[in-house]
Structures are given as structure tokens and as C-alpha cells.
Amino acid sequence: MGSCCSSELAETQLEKQKQKQKQKQKQKQKQKHQQHQPQRASFSLHHAPPPAAVGAAPAAFAEFSLAELKAATGGFSSDNIVSESGEKAPNLVYKGRLQNRTWIAVKKFTRMAWPDPKQFAEEAWGVGKLRHRRLANLIGYCCDGDERLLVAEYMPNDTLAKHLFHWENQTIEWAMRLRVAFYIAEALEYCSDEGRPLYHDLNAYRVLFDEDGDPCLSCFGLMKNSRDGKSYSTNLAYTPPEYLRNGRVTPESVIFSFGTVLLDLLSGKRIPPSHALDMIRGKNILLLMDSHLEGNFSTEEATALVDLASRCLQYEPRERPSTKDLVATLAPLQPKSEVPSHVMLGISKEEETPAPQHPLSPMGEACSRMDLTAIHQILVMTHYRDDEGTNELSFQEWTQQMKDMLDARKRGDYAFRDKDFKTAIDCYTQFIDVGTMVSPTVYARRSLCHLMCDQADAALRDGMQAQCVYPDWPTAFYMQAVALAKLNMHSDATDMLNEAAGLEEKRQRGGKGT
């Protein structure tokens, strides 16, 4: 392709990419439909494995540097905060991605919540020994100066609170609610058997859904919010009565909190235990049930769950069931055991994006992490050095029009540097529309500006135009990769990322210098 590549060609390429993705999605939906026909169902849940048989082993526990976690979370960007806004816990949880492309959740404690780094490390190592498929496992920690951070497996499908209290597409069906109760009971039993029976502030925000839609218990609740701080951050109406008396968490306190989660699952809303118990004693079980279920539940199963919740919420700790009792009661109450969790939740299961075939440069790493801030910093530092040789201008072309055009580019560069992306788009567009001079860097910069303004289609077109001007320029391919990922065209994004990394590798072996 030459430097005179038209925008019409870029539009055609974009439509081809979209058509290709639609065909892939139709094929996946067809396969999914065939897979879920009753006579061909092949799913099973493998109930209650022994702790040693917990499936694929998560990452080994490790100590991370603060620099690693800063890079993974975009400098702890507010855009990467994933903790629920309604949660009153004083610590923030960030989504991040390590250099090996592993997604992580990072809990950042308030300053000096754990003054003694040795105590924090010992507590983290204790929790880090736990490994179970019903846990969002702890895979590391960081002690650096006053900073204290925990690193866990990332769960991409939100919290139970989000699905129960703030749902947008569909409420959780009855069979899935029973599965949540059972899986969390399994997690608590495992922790208890492994000598970690205390769980702080168990509630619907602590139950997370993994990439398969399976419910998991957050490992963060296995550590207090601070060395000497409170163990409960929720409303006192949901706090175990013995904690109000002496401020101590016991294994029986955890059972009480599990009872409040059962109430959440039954009612679809937060009901104070005292109020719920009054309804139960008055035999008003149907009034307790979530109206959004529209009666689609087994009365026998609902009665069993209500009875279990009532036992968990007993005022005297010794009258509450054990974790083994929870599992034994809930195991038989599991309808639709052949249906995968993501189907019952009504979420699409994303396929794992294959790793790049070539080692990635800083630009490639930033693009693979979708870290727009890092891409911006790299483009600012690179400036226009990759534009050399893309323009051959005669003396006659240096007219007043040329001066105006270069002034527009300069204004665009100032706006780009200052992160005024809308102004940068306007100025770069003035530069491009004159057409006297072509610049792949301007296209790359405007592409990023479009991404920053949630205009992925326009960003993809600019990435394609940059490739037209400079066919072997890795940055052009990188910008297309990010735009394609934003458009949920993940397979094409990976192909583009690999192509960019291959071009960079060729440069390093003696091609055109950077």
C-alpha cells in the first residue's frame, strides 16, 4: 500500500473486520446452542472434592514489588478500581494485569493499617497457603515502605451484591442461588479444615464470580482490614450479636454472617436478620421470597433454605450449625447440576486470548494491557521520529497553507501532551484534511485520542490509515490491536498484536532502526 491510501479503503477494511467477527460469533452461538441441547448435555459440577483435588493449580504465592503492581494497575488508576461503590470498607481493590498477561485483583490498604511489615507478611503467607477452586485465591502481597497490598486471582464477573441488588439484564434464577450457597459453604468448610476458620465481614460483596460464572469466596476476608482494626464494616443490624458484646470474631460469628447471605439469596435484598426471623416465626415465608423470582422456585427447597438461615442466625453461637452441617444440608439442594454457571447467570464466557507469539516491547505490553495512559506516554516520548522519509516536498509546496497546516499540528501536539484529547482530534483533523503532508504519527496520535473518547471505530480507521502511510510500522498495528479489542474483536486483536511484535523483532534483527 502506498502513502496515498484512501479513507474509503480503510472503511472497507473495517467493514470486513466486523463482518468476519460477526461470522465467528454466529458460529460460536450455533455451537453453544448444540452443546446445551438436553439430550447432548455433558456438563458436571464435580461436587465436594477433597482439598487436594482442586483442579488447575493457581499461581504460586509470591512477594511483588510496588513497581510491578503500579505497572499492572496503571499507577493505581481510578479507572481500574473494581470494589463496589456501596461497600463501606476503607480499602480499595484494583484490577490489574501482570507482564505475563495474568489478570489480578490488588487490595490496597490504608496507610499504616498494618504498621509492622513482618506481621502483615506472616498473615498474608498464612492465607496464601490456601488453594481451593471455591476461593478467589491469594497469590501474593507487597510490603514497600508504608504500603501494604494483597494480590489475588481476578474474578471478572462482578459480585453477588451486583447480581442480586443492582442487576440490569436478569435476576439470578433459583437454581443458581442454591449453587452460590453451596459453593460458599464448601469454601468455608475448606478454610475451617485448613485451620483458617475466621472470615471477617462475610457478605454479598465478598462473593465473586469467576470467568466460568462460578461463585467464589474472596480471600481478602480471611485477613482483617488492619492489624488491630474492626472486623466488620457493614451495618450493625447485620453484625453477629456476640461481636457487638465483645468485639471478637469466632467461627460461630462466620456462620451467623453466612445466614445473612442466605437471607440475601432468598429475598433478593438486604433484610436485617431480626426482621427476617420475625417473618420466619410468623410462617410468612412467601413474603420473604424475592418477588423477581415470580414463583419460579421449589417450595420444599425454599423451606429448607429458610430453615438453615434460621439456624445460622440463632442468638446463641453454640446453637448454630458447623460448616460441615452447611455443606451436608446444601449438597442435596442442587437442581440443574448439568447446566454451567455462566449459562444460568446469563453471561457470555470469553475465550482465553492466546499469548503473543513474539516477545513484546513496552508499547506492545501497554497495548496488550489496554493501558491507554502508558500508550500516551510512549507516543509523547517518541514524537515524530518514525515519520522520517514519509514526505518528499518541493520548495514550491512550502506555502502559507503549509505553515497553517504545521501550526494546526503543533496545536494538536500541545493538546495531546496536555491530555486535551478532543482539541487534539480537531487540530490533527485540520492537519490531515489539508493533505499536503502525510504523517503516520498524527494518525497514531489521533487514534489514541479517539480511544480516550470511547470512539473505537474511528480509532481503528486511523490505525489503518497509519499502516497505509507506513506499511511496516509496528505502532500502526498496535493501535489497530487496541481498537479491535475495544470492539470485542479479540481474535483479530491478538493477530494484529502478534504482527506488530513480529515487525519489531525484525527491526531489532537489523531492519529499519527506531
Side-chain angles (χ1 to χ4, degrees):
M1 295 182 222
S3 62
C4 59
C5 176
S6 68
S7 61
E8 287 82 359
L9 178 57
E11 290 282 356
T12 303
Q13 288 175 313
L14 175 58
E15 287 306 315
K16 284 182 180 178
Q17 291 273 26
K18 285 187 171 180
Q19 202 62 36
K20 182 179 171 186
Q21 187 68 9
K22 282 180 182 176
Q23 289 171 352
K24 286 183 181 179
Q25 288 174 343
K26 283 182 181 178
Q27 186 63 27
K28 285 180 185 177
Q29 288 171 352
K30 185 178 177 182
Q31 291 171 348
K32 189 175 177 182
H33 175 73
Q34 292 171 343
Q35 194 176 28
H36 293 151
Q37 293 300 311
Q39 66 272 24
R40 300 184 62 186
S42 59
F43 298 100
S44 62
L45 293 178
H46 312 297
H47 292 316
V54 293
F61 191 78
E63 182 175 5
F64 289 88
S65 70
L66 187 60
E68 283 180 283
L69 299 184
K70 275 185 176 178
T73 58
F76 298 108
S77 166
S78 59
D79 293 337
N80 289 326
I81 294 175
V82 293
S83 56
E84 296 283 345
S85 59
E87 179 70 343
K88 296 180 181 178
N91 310 298
L92 295 174
V93 179
Y94 297 83
K95 175 184 177 181
R97 199 174 196 183
L98 299 173
Q99 283 198 343
N100 65 4
R101 299 173 61 79
T102 300
W103 290 104
I104 56 173
V106 182
K107 181 170 182 176
K108 196 171 190 288
F109 288 85
T110 52
R111 186 171 294 274
M112 295 305 290
W114 291 78
D116 186 342
K118 185 179 178 183
Q119 285 181 330
F120 181 79
E122 287 175 353
E123 191 74 9
W125 274 98
V127 176
K129 290 176 183 177
L130 301 177
R131 286 291 180 270
H132 199 273
R133 68 183 185 190
R134 304 295 182 234
L135 284 175
N137 294 286
L138 192 67
I139 60 175
Y141 75 104
C142 172
C143 281
D144 191 322
D146 291 341
E147 298 290 350
R148 305 286 183 266
L149 304 106
L150 294 177
V151 184
E153 297 172 311
Y154 177 66
M155 302 286 112
N157 285 310
D158 291 317
T159 65
L160 177 61
K162 176 74 179 292
H163 287 279
L164 269 183
F165 310 142
H166 313 292
W167 56 278
E168 296 168 2
N169 299 321
Q170 67 180 62
T171 187
I172 303 181
E173 66 172 276
W174 177 246
M176 188 65 201
R177 298 184 193 212
L178 290 171
R179 186 174 296 179
V180 169
F182 178 46
Y183 281 18
I184 299 311
E186 282 191 310
L188 292 174
E189 182 187 28
Y190 167 75
C191 293
S192 182
D193 289 347
E194 293 297 305
R196 307 284 309 195
L198 302 185
Y199 194 94
H200 305 276
D201 205 10
L202 175 60
N203 57 59
Y205 291 96
R206 301 285 201 182
V207 179
L208 314 170
F209 292 93
D210 67 13
E211 63 278 2
D212 296 319
D214 285 332
C216 298
L217 184 62
S218 169
C219 63
F220 292 148
L222 292 163
M223 281 183 67
K224 287 191 291 188
N225 285 332
S226 64
R227 182 69 184 88
D228 303 308
K230 293 180 180 179
S231 295
Y232 285 84
S233 58
T234 52
N235 191 300
L236 294 180
Y238 306 92
T239 305
E242 64 274 14
Y243 181 79
L244 295 176
R245 292 196 300 267
N246 56 35
R248 288 178 56 246
V249 177
T250 66
E252 293 78 19
S253 308
V254 181
I255 301 298
F256 184 95
S257 295
F258 182 78
T260 68
V261 175
L262 292 182
L263 291 181
D264 294 343
L265 291 167
L266 286 162
S267 66
K269 50 185 174 286
R270 297 237 72 189
I271 296 181
S274 59
H275 181 52
L277 287 172
D278 287 341
M279 296 172 72
I280 294 169
R281 293 187 192 104
K283 307 295 184 185
N284 294 324
I285 292 177
L286 289 179
L287 289 177
L288 182 64
M289 300 302 294
D290 188 350
S291 60
H292 294 109
L293 288 169
E294 298 179 340
N296 293 318
F297 58 87
S298 159
T299 304
E300 184 180 344
E301 290 166 355
T303 302
L305 207 64
V306 167
D307 178 64
L308 182 60
S310 178
R311 291 164 56 204
C312 290
L313 297 170
Q314 290 300 304
Y315 184 83
E316 291 297 334
R318 65 177 179 274
E319 295 178 5
R320 298 170 198 158
S322 66
T323 55
K324 288 192 181 335
D325 294 331
L326 300 181
V327 172
T329 302
L330 292 164
L333 306 177
Q334 299 303 309
K336 296 190 177 182
S337 59
E338 77 286 355
V339 181
S341 294
H342 71 88
V343 174
M344 283 203 283
L345 272 185
I347 58 175
S348 59
K349 182 181 174 185
E350 287 190 10
E351 295 181 0
E352 182 65 25
T353 304
Q357 299 166 359
H358 303 276
L360 295 178
S361 65
M363 181 65 162
E365 285 288 353
C367 290
S368 72
R369 295 197 310 270
M370 307 283 287
D371 188 342
L372 302 185
T373 301
I375 297 171
H376 174 259
Q377 291 172 345
I378 292 168
L379 289 178
V380 167
M381 290 171 60
T382 306
H383 203 55
Y384 285 88
R385 68 184 183 198
D386 281 323
D387 281 14
E388 294 174 10
T390 58
N391 293 276
E392 296 177 4
L393 301 174
S394 66
F395 178 77
Q396 287 76 17
E397 289 176 301
W398 289 93
T399 61
Q400 183 62 40
Q401 186 183 52
M402 187 71 177
K403 182 178 181 301
D404 293 342
M405 180 185 63
L406 291 174
D407 283 343
R409 190 182 77 173
K410 186 181 292 185
R411 291 195 307 275
D413 290 341
Y414 286 142
F416 184 79
R417 182 196 64 193
D418 296 336
K419 302 183 181 180
D420 181 359
F421 298 112
K422 289 184 178 178
T423 300
I425 289 172
D426 292 341
C427 295
Y428 286 145
T429 300
Q430 290 176 32
F431 172 86
I432 290 168
D433 286 349
V434 172
T436 307
M437 183 179 181
V438 290
S439 168
T441 298
V442 166
Y443 279 120
R445 288 183 167 211
R446 194 173 71 168
S447 176
L448 179 65
C449 292
H450 284 307
L451 287 170
M452 290 291 194
C453 297
D454 292 324
Q455 299 165 357
D457 278 346
L460 181 58
R461 283 193 291 271
D462 276 347
M464 289 175 172
Q465 291 285 17
Q467 181 190 344
C468 291
V469 176
Y470 190 166
D472 296 324
W473 191 35
T475 299
F477 290 84
Y478 278 135
M479 297 313 301
Q480 291 177 65
V482 179
L484 288 164
K486 286 284 188 183
L487 291 166
N488 293 319
M489 300 163 73
H490 298 291
S491 177
D492 295 309
T494 301
D495 292 343
M496 200 64 69
L497 196 67
N498 281 321
E499 201 158 345
L503 288 170
E504 283 195 319
E505 194 174 23
K506 190 185 297 183
R507 279 184 168 200
Q508 291 167 3
R509 288 202 306 262
K512 181 175 178 178
T514 58

